[in-house]
Every structure is written in C-alpha cells, then in structure tokens.
C-alpha cells in the first residue's frame, strides 16, 4: 500500500503531536518553576496536581508524535539516513534520563507534604509530612532548572536534526 500521498498528513500529525508533547511538558515545567517560590502547602499540592494532569496531554502527544514520525520516516525513506536514528536516540534517551529526574523531584515534594505518590505501593504507610521549611527548601532546589535546561537543549537538537537533516 502506497502511503506517499499521505505524507503531508503524516507530517501534520507529527507536528501536532510535537506541539501537544511540548505543550504538556511546558505546563509541567512552568509549574515546577512556580513551585520553587510557593510557601503554602495547599497551593503546593494544587501546583503538583496541575503539573501531573498536564503530563496526560504530553503522553498523548508523544504517541502521536512517535507513530506519525515513524510512519513518515518509513514512507519517506528517511530510515536510510543517520539523522533520523540520532533523533530517535536523542528523543528516547532524553525521556529515559528526564523521567526519573522530574518525577522523583515531584514525588519527594508530595511525600514531604504528606501525600501519597504513584510510586508508593498500597501496603506502604502514608508519608509523614516534613516541617514546611524543609519542604520549601526541597521545592526550591535546582532540579527543575536542571530538567528544563536538559529538555530545552534536547528539543533544540531535535529541531535542528529534523529541519536540516544534516547526515
């Protein structure tokens, strides 16, 4: 089956997926950066909840991005070029590296606020809240900036690879 006539639609879907993926992560990143300045536990939990809800959008975007991009790469014959393989490695590698960095940070703050995390087993005891000054110090740490910087660099590299297809 020749899907060549659908290449513009595949590229369109790939770009829509990329916008959803980046948009969802953008909300989460903005919330992580806002959390660094928050002092009220209830507001901190609300920020964490907003961040977590945006990841669903990012996940849908990632699936659309990957499926449309891979099909586009197959139909368009790009898998014979190195740039697409490097882009896949950068994308997957960034996800593998960033997921525990970001979720670990958010989970630590949730636990410090006394809230259960998705990483906890049902048999685990409820976390004991830390004193608010310790929780604020944890939230104000450098992790959100590190994750945002790493993700931003990866995004620029991916855009460069897909725009210029250098090799």
């Amino acid at each position: 089956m020749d899907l060549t006539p659908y290449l513009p639609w595949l590229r369109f879907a790939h770009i829509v997926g990329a916008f959803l993926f980046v948009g969802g992560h953008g909300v989460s990143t903005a919330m992580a950066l806002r959390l660094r300045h928050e002092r009220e536990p209830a507001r901190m939990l609300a920020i964490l909840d907003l961040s977590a809800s945006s990841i669903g959008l990012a996940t849908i975007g990632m699936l659309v991005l990957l499926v449309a991009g891979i099909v586009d790469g197959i139909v368009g014959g790009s898998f014979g070029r190195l740039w697409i393989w490097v882009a896949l490695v950068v994308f997957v590698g960034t996800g593998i590296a960033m997921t525990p960095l970001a979720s670990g940070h958010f989970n630590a703050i949730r636990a410090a606020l006394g809230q259960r995390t998705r990483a906890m087993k049902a048999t685990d005891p409820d976390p004991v809240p830390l004193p608010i000054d310790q929780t604020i110090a944890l939230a104000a740490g450098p992790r959100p900036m590190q994750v945002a910087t790493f993700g931003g660099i990866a995004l620029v590299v991916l855009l460069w690879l897909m725009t210029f297809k250098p090799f």
Side-chain angles (χ1 to χ4, degrees):
M1 180 175 174
D2 181 21
L3 296 177
T4 307
Y6 299 101
L7 273 172
W9 285 106
L10 289 168
R11 291 191 180 127
F12 176 76
H14 182 69
I15 292 168
V16 167
F19 272 96
L20 293 174
F21 180 76
V22 171
H25 277 89
V27 169
S28 184
T29 300
M31 293 302 98
L33 295 173
R34 175 66 188 109
L35 188 62
R36 298 177 74 211
H37 304 288
E38 190 53 60
R39 303 292 179 251
E40 295 291 325
R43 289 176 55 96
M44 293 173 92
L45 287 170
I47 289 169
L48 288 166
D49 288 344
L50 179 58
S51 174
S53 68
S54 72
I55 296 302
L57 179 67
T59 301
I60 291 167
M62 178 189 66
L63 293 173
V64 172
L65 166 89
L66 280 174
V67 170
I70 289 170
V71 174
D72 182 342
I74 291 168
V75 173
S78 296
F79 278 98
R81 310 248 337 255
L82 182 59
W83 72 267
I84 197 168
W85 292 102
V86 173
L88 280 168
V89 168
V90 168
F91 186 77
V92 172
T94 300
I96 289 170
M98 286 183 61
T99 299
L101 290 174
S103 65
H105 176 69
F106 288 138
N107 285 340
I109 296 169
R110 281 187 189 280
L113 290 165
Q115 189 177 63
R116 296 184 64 80
T117 68
R118 284 184 243 159
M120 300 175 99
K121 297 176 189 164
T123 56
D124 289 342
D126 288 341
V128 176
L130 293 177
I132 191 62
D133 59 326
Q134 291 179 16
T135 303
I136 290 169
L138 180 63
R143 182 67 58 87
M145 285 302 296
Q146 294 166 345
V147 172
T149 300
F150 186 71
I153 291 169
L155 179 61
V156 169
V157 168
L158 288 168
L159 289 171
W160 175 75
L161 286 166
M162 289 186 289
T163 301
F164 296 103
K165 300 173 177 43
F167 32 81

